[in-house]
mmCIF file of all heavy atoms in Angstrom:
data_model
loop_
_atom_site.group_PDB
_atom_site.id
_atom_site.type_symbol
_atom_site.label_atom_id
_atom_site.label_comp_id
_atom_site.label_asym_id
_atom_site.label_seq_id
_atom_site.Cartn_x
_atom_site.Cartn_y
_atom_site.Cartn_z
ATOM 1 N N LEU A 492 0.124 -14.563 11.434
ATOM 2 C CA LEU A 492 -0.566 -13.719 12.408
ATOM 3 C C LEU A 492 -0.572 -12.259 11.993
ATOM 4 O O LEU A 492 -1.567 -11.569 12.093
ATOM 5 C CB LEU A 492 0.102 -13.866 13.778
ATOM 6 C CG LEU A 492 -0.443 -12.974 14.898
ATOM 7 C CD1 LEU A 492 -1.901 -13.294 15.177
ATOM 8 C CD2 LEU A 492 0.399 -13.125 16.162
ATOM 9 N N PHE A 493 0.585 -11.770 11.508
ATOM 10 C CA PHE A 493 0.724 -10.343 11.271
ATOM 11 C C PHE A 493 0.476 -9.939 9.826
ATOM 12 O O PHE A 493 0.489 -8.764 9.508
ATOM 13 C CB PHE A 493 2.115 -9.864 11.715
ATOM 14 C CG PHE A 493 2.362 -10.083 13.188
ATOM 15 C CD1 PHE A 493 3.494 -10.730 13.644
ATOM 16 C CD2 PHE A 493 1.442 -9.639 14.123
ATOM 17 C CE1 PHE A 493 3.705 -10.925 14.992
ATOM 18 C CE2 PHE A 493 1.646 -9.830 15.477
ATOM 19 C CZ PHE A 493 2.787 -10.486 15.916
ATOM 20 N N ALA A 494 0.251 -10.906 8.950
ATOM 21 C CA ALA A 494 -0.022 -10.556 7.562
ATOM 22 C C ALA A 494 -1.420 -9.973 7.447
ATOM 23 O O ALA A 494 -2.376 -10.583 7.895
ATOM 24 C CB ALA A 494 0.097 -11.785 6.670
ATOM 25 N N PRO A 495 -1.555 -8.778 6.858
ATOM 26 C CA PRO A 495 -2.896 -8.231 6.656
ATOM 27 C C PRO A 495 -3.611 -9.007 5.586
ATOM 28 O O PRO A 495 -3.010 -9.525 4.666
ATOM 29 C CB PRO A 495 -2.610 -6.783 6.195
ATOM 30 C CG PRO A 495 -1.259 -6.830 5.596
ATOM 31 C CD PRO A 495 -0.497 -7.887 6.351
ATOM 32 N N SER A 496 -4.933 -9.098 5.720
ATOM 33 C CA SER A 496 -5.705 -9.845 4.742
ATOM 34 C C SER A 496 -5.753 -9.105 3.423
ATOM 35 O O SER A 496 -5.569 -7.898 3.356
ATOM 36 C CB SER A 496 -7.132 -10.049 5.251
ATOM 37 O OG SER A 496 -7.819 -8.826 5.297
ATOM 38 N N ALA A 497 -5.988 -9.864 2.359
ATOM 39 C CA ALA A 497 -6.192 -9.257 1.048
ATOM 40 C C ALA A 497 -7.677 -8.991 0.875
ATOM 41 O O ALA A 497 -8.506 -9.796 1.262
ATOM 42 C CB ALA A 497 -5.684 -10.179 -0.046
ATOM 43 N N SER A 498 -8.027 -7.837 0.341
ATOM 44 C CA SER A 498 -9.408 -7.495 0.067
ATOM 45 C C SER A 498 -9.569 -7.363 -1.430
ATOM 46 O O SER A 498 -8.933 -6.511 -2.044
ATOM 47 C CB SER A 498 -9.779 -6.181 0.751
ATOM 48 O OG SER A 498 -9.694 -6.308 2.152
ATOM 49 N N ALA A 499 -10.409 -8.250 -1.993
ATOM 50 C CA ALA A 499 -10.628 -8.262 -3.439
ATOM 51 C C ALA A 499 -9.309 -8.389 -4.186
ATOM 52 O O ALA A 499 -9.083 -7.763 -5.212
ATOM 53 C CB ALA A 499 -11.374 -6.998 -3.866
ATOM 54 N N GLY A 500 -8.393 -9.216 -3.664
ATOM 55 C CA GLY A 500 -7.127 -9.449 -4.322
ATOM 56 C C GLY A 500 -6.119 -8.339 -4.113
ATOM 57 O O GLY A 500 -5.101 -8.297 -4.799
ATOM 58 N N ARG A 501 -6.354 -7.454 -3.164
ATOM 59 C CA ARG A 501 -5.468 -6.321 -2.931
ATOM 60 C C ARG A 501 -4.824 -6.461 -1.558
ATOM 61 O O ARG A 501 -5.465 -6.890 -0.609
ATOM 62 C CB ARG A 501 -6.249 -5.011 -3.042
ATOM 63 C CG ARG A 501 -6.904 -4.855 -4.417
ATOM 64 C CD ARG A 501 -7.982 -3.782 -4.397
ATOM 65 N NE ARG A 501 -8.750 -3.799 -5.637
ATOM 66 C CZ ARG A 501 -8.452 -3.070 -6.708
ATOM 67 N NH1 ARG A 501 -7.405 -2.272 -6.674
ATOM 68 N NH2 ARG A 501 -9.186 -3.129 -7.791
ATOM 69 N N ASP A 502 -3.563 -6.061 -1.447
ATOM 70 C CA ASP A 502 -2.795 -6.296 -0.238
ATOM 71 C C ASP A 502 -2.681 -5.024 0.591
ATOM 72 O O ASP A 502 -2.227 -3.985 0.101
ATOM 73 C CB ASP A 502 -1.408 -6.812 -0.614
ATOM 74 C CG ASP A 502 -0.589 -7.151 0.607
ATOM 75 O OD1 ASP A 502 -0.826 -8.222 1.200
ATOM 76 O OD2 ASP A 502 0.249 -6.333 1.003
ATOM 77 N N ALA A 503 -3.094 -5.096 1.855
ATOM 78 C CA ALA A 503 -3.077 -3.923 2.726
ATOM 79 C C ALA A 503 -1.651 -3.477 3.038
ATOM 80 O O ALA A 503 -1.395 -2.283 3.205
ATOM 81 C CB ALA A 503 -3.832 -4.214 4.019
ATOM 82 N N GLY A 504 -0.723 -4.429 3.134
ATOM 83 C CA GLY A 504 0.667 -4.061 3.373
ATOM 84 C C GLY A 504 1.247 -3.274 2.205
ATOM 85 O O GLY A 504 1.977 -2.298 2.391
ATOM 86 N N LEU A 505 0.912 -3.692 1.007
ATOM 87 C CA LEU A 505 1.376 -2.968 -0.171
ATOM 88 C C LEU A 505 0.725 -1.583 -0.250
ATOM 89 O O LEU A 505 1.360 -0.610 -0.640
ATOM 90 C CB LEU A 505 1.061 -3.768 -1.432
ATOM 91 C CG LEU A 505 1.601 -3.204 -2.748
ATOM 92 C CD1 LEU A 505 3.108 -2.993 -2.680
ATOM 93 C CD2 LEU A 505 1.250 -4.132 -3.906
ATOM 94 N N ALA A 506 -0.546 -1.491 0.144
ATOM 95 C CA ALA A 506 -1.201 -0.184 0.200
ATOM 96 C C ALA A 506 -0.471 0.739 1.167
ATOM 97 O O ALA A 506 -0.289 1.932 0.895
ATOM 98 C CB ALA A 506 -2.659 -0.341 0.606
ATOM 99 N N ALA A 507 -0.049 0.192 2.319
ATOM 100 C CA ALA A 507 0.691 0.990 3.296
ATOM 101 C C ALA A 507 2.011 1.481 2.704
ATOM 102 O O ALA A 507 2.428 2.621 2.937
ATOM 103 C CB ALA A 507 0.947 0.170 4.557
ATOM 104 N N LEU A 508 2.666 0.622 1.937
ATOM 105 C CA LEU A 508 3.906 1.027 1.270
ATOM 106 C C LEU A 508 3.632 2.136 0.259
ATOM 107 O O LEU A 508 4.403 3.098 0.153
ATOM 108 C CB LEU A 508 4.535 -0.184 0.581
ATOM 109 C CG LEU A 508 5.802 0.096 -0.243
ATOM 110 C CD1 LEU A 508 6.923 0.602 0.649
ATOM 111 C CD2 LEU A 508 6.234 -1.165 -0.984
ATOM 112 N N GLN A 509 2.534 2.031 -0.485
ATOM 113 C CA GLN A 509 2.186 3.078 -1.440
ATOM 114 C C GLN A 509 1.977 4.416 -0.749
ATOM 115 O O GLN A 509 2.367 5.460 -1.280
ATOM 116 C CB GLN A 509 0.927 2.670 -2.215
ATOM 117 C CG GLN A 509 1.141 1.515 -3.189
ATOM 118 C CD GLN A 509 -0.163 0.987 -3.769
ATOM 119 O OE1 GLN A 509 -1.217 1.082 -3.127
ATOM 120 N NE2 GLN A 509 -0.109 0.427 -4.966
ATOM 121 N N VAL A 510 1.370 4.383 0.446
ATOM 122 C CA VAL A 510 1.189 5.620 1.212
ATOM 123 C C VAL A 510 2.546 6.231 1.550
ATOM 124 O O VAL A 510 2.756 7.446 1.406
ATOM 125 C CB VAL A 510 0.393 5.345 2.503
ATOM 126 C CG1 VAL A 510 0.396 6.575 3.420
ATOM 127 C CG2 VAL A 510 -1.050 4.962 2.169
ATOM 128 N N ALA A 511 3.485 5.400 1.995
ATOM 129 C CA ALA A 511 4.818 5.897 2.347
ATOM 130 C C ALA A 511 5.531 6.475 1.129
ATOM 131 O O ALA A 511 6.163 7.543 1.205
ATOM 132 C CB ALA A 511 5.649 4.764 2.945
ATOM 133 N N LEU A 512 5.429 5.801 0.006
ATOM 134 C CA LEU A 512 6.081 6.282 -1.216
ATOM 135 C C LEU A 512 5.427 7.562 -1.718
ATOM 136 O O LEU A 512 6.102 8.470 -2.211
ATOM 137 C CB LEU A 512 6.013 5.194 -2.291
ATOM 138 C CG LEU A 512 6.797 3.911 -1.985
ATOM 139 C CD1 LEU A 512 6.457 2.823 -3.002
ATOM 140 C CD2 LEU A 512 8.294 4.173 -1.971
ATOM 141 N N GLN A 513 4.103 7.654 -1.571
ATOM 142 C CA GLN A 513 3.383 8.855 -1.979
ATOM 143 C C GLN A 513 3.817 10.052 -1.143
ATOM 144 O O GLN A 513 3.985 11.159 -1.661
ATOM 145 C CB GLN A 513 1.881 8.633 -1.857
ATOM 146 C CG GLN A 513 1.021 9.744 -2.427
ATOM 147 C CD GLN A 513 -0.466 9.429 -2.300
ATOM 148 O OE1 GLN A 513 -1.040 9.564 -1.220
ATOM 149 N NE2 GLN A 513 -1.086 8.993 -3.374
ATOM 150 N N SER A 514 4.002 9.820 0.172
ATOM 151 C CA SER A 514 4.389 10.917 1.057
ATOM 152 C C SER A 514 5.789 11.448 0.735
ATOM 153 O O SER A 514 6.123 12.577 1.092
ATOM 154 C CB SER A 514 4.338 10.459 2.521
ATOM 155 O OG SER A 514 5.374 9.523 2.793
ATOM 156 N N ARG A 515 6.578 10.636 0.042
ATOM 157 C CA ARG A 515 7.930 11.038 -0.350
ATOM 158 C C ARG A 515 7.991 11.522 -1.799
ATOM 159 O O ARG A 515 9.064 11.722 -2.351
ATOM 160 C CB ARG A 515 8.889 9.870 -0.140
ATOM 161 C CG ARG A 515 9.177 9.617 1.340
ATOM 162 C CD ARG A 515 9.744 8.226 1.587
ATOM 163 N NE ARG A 515 10.168 8.059 2.976
ATOM 164 C CZ ARG A 515 9.342 7.840 3.991
ATOM 165 N NH1 ARG A 515 8.028 7.780 3.768
ATOM 166 N NH2 ARG A 515 9.801 7.693 5.215
ATOM 167 N N GLY A 516 6.824 11.698 -2.409
ATOM 168 C CA GLY A 516 6.762 12.216 -3.764
ATOM 169 C C GLY A 516 7.191 11.239 -4.835
ATOM 170 O O GLY A 516 7.508 11.635 -5.956
ATOM 171 N N LEU A 517 7.169 9.939 -4.521
ATOM 172 C CA LEU A 517 7.647 8.929 -5.457
ATOM 173 C C LEU A 517 6.532 8.136 -6.127
ATOM 174 O O LEU A 517 6.781 7.419 -7.096
ATOM 175 C CB LEU A 517 8.577 7.948 -4.721
ATOM 176 C CG LEU A 517 9.839 8.564 -4.117
ATOM 177 C CD1 LEU A 517 10.565 7.536 -3.252
ATOM 178 C CD2 LEU A 517 10.757 9.086 -5.215
ATOM 179 N N TYR A 518 5.313 8.260 -5.616
ATOM 180 C CA TYR A 518 4.189 7.492 -6.155
ATOM 181 C C TYR A 518 2.979 8.401 -6.272
ATOM 182 O O TYR A 518 2.623 9.097 -5.318
ATOM 183 C CB TYR A 518 3.881 6.302 -5.236
ATOM 184 C CG TYR A 518 2.701 5.463 -5.682
ATOM 185 C CD1 TYR A 518 2.789 4.636 -6.792
ATOM 186 C CD2 TYR A 518 1.488 5.508 -4.986
ATOM 187 C CE1 TYR A 518 1.699 3.867 -7.199
ATOM 188 C CE2 TYR A 518 0.404 4.736 -5.383
ATOM 189 C CZ TYR A 518 0.515 3.926 -6.494
ATOM 190 O OH TYR A 518 -0.555 3.167 -6.896
ATOM 191 N N ALA A 519 2.358 8.397 -7.455
ATOM 192 C CA ALA A 519 1.229 9.295 -7.690
ATOM 193 C C ALA A 519 -0.048 8.551 -8.026
ATOM 194 O O ALA A 519 -1.062 9.178 -8.336
ATOM 195 C CB ALA A 519 1.573 10.265 -8.827
ATOM 196 N N GLY A 520 -0.030 7.231 -7.944
ATOM 197 C CA GLY A 520 -1.214 6.454 -8.275
ATOM 198 C C GLY A 520 -2.170 6.320 -7.107
ATOM 199 O O GLY A 520 -1.982 6.914 -6.039
ATOM 200 N N SER A 521 -3.207 5.500 -7.310
ATOM 201 C CA SER A 521 -4.177 5.244 -6.238
ATOM 202 C C SER A 521 -3.587 4.319 -5.187
ATOM 203 O O SER A 521 -2.732 3.472 -5.491
ATOM 204 C CB SER A 521 -5.444 4.612 -6.819
ATOM 205 O OG SER A 521 -6.202 5.558 -7.527
ATOM 206 N N ILE A 522 -4.061 4.470 -3.955
ATOM 207 C CA ILE A 522 -3.667 3.559 -2.880
ATOM 208 C C ILE A 522 -4.570 2.335 -3.021
ATOM 209 O O ILE A 522 -5.627 2.237 -2.391
ATOM 210 C CB ILE A 522 -3.841 4.231 -1.497
ATOM 211 C CG1 ILE A 522 -3.117 5.580 -1.467
ATOM 212 C CG2 ILE A 522 -3.319 3.307 -0.401
ATOM 213 C CD1 ILE A 522 -1.627 5.511 -1.771
ATOM 214 N N ASP A 523 -4.155 1.406 -3.879
ATOM 215 C CA ASP A 523 -5.012 0.277 -4.245
ATOM 216 C C ASP A 523 -4.480 -1.083 -3.811
ATOM 217 O O ASP A 523 -5.149 -2.101 -3.998
ATOM 218 C CB ASP A 523 -5.262 0.268 -5.753
ATOM 219 C CG ASP A 523 -3.981 0.170 -6.574
ATOM 220 O OD1 ASP A 523 -2.900 -0.051 -5.986
ATOM 221 O OD2 ASP A 523 -4.066 0.311 -7.816
ATOM 222 N N GLY A 524 -3.275 -1.146 -3.222
ATOM 223 C CA GLY A 524 -2.746 -2.428 -2.765
ATOM 224 C C GLY A 524 -2.383 -3.378 -3.887
ATOM 225 O O GLY A 524 -2.245 -4.586 -3.654
#
């Protein structure tokens, strides 16, 4: 129920994690999931 769908093989939950890591200065790549 709560798993976000994958779009073109990309995971929305992982994208959300990338946003959190980026905000902490730990990730500089694209938010691509």
Side-chain angles (χ1 to χ4, degrees):
L492 176 62
F493 299 128
S496 68
S498 296
R501 301 164 190 269
D502 183 78
L505 185 56
L508 176 63
Q509 290 171 332
V510 171
L512 295 170
Q513 188 178 78
S514 69
R515 287 162 173 78
L517 299 172
Y518 178 72
S521 287
I522 307 302
D523 59 8

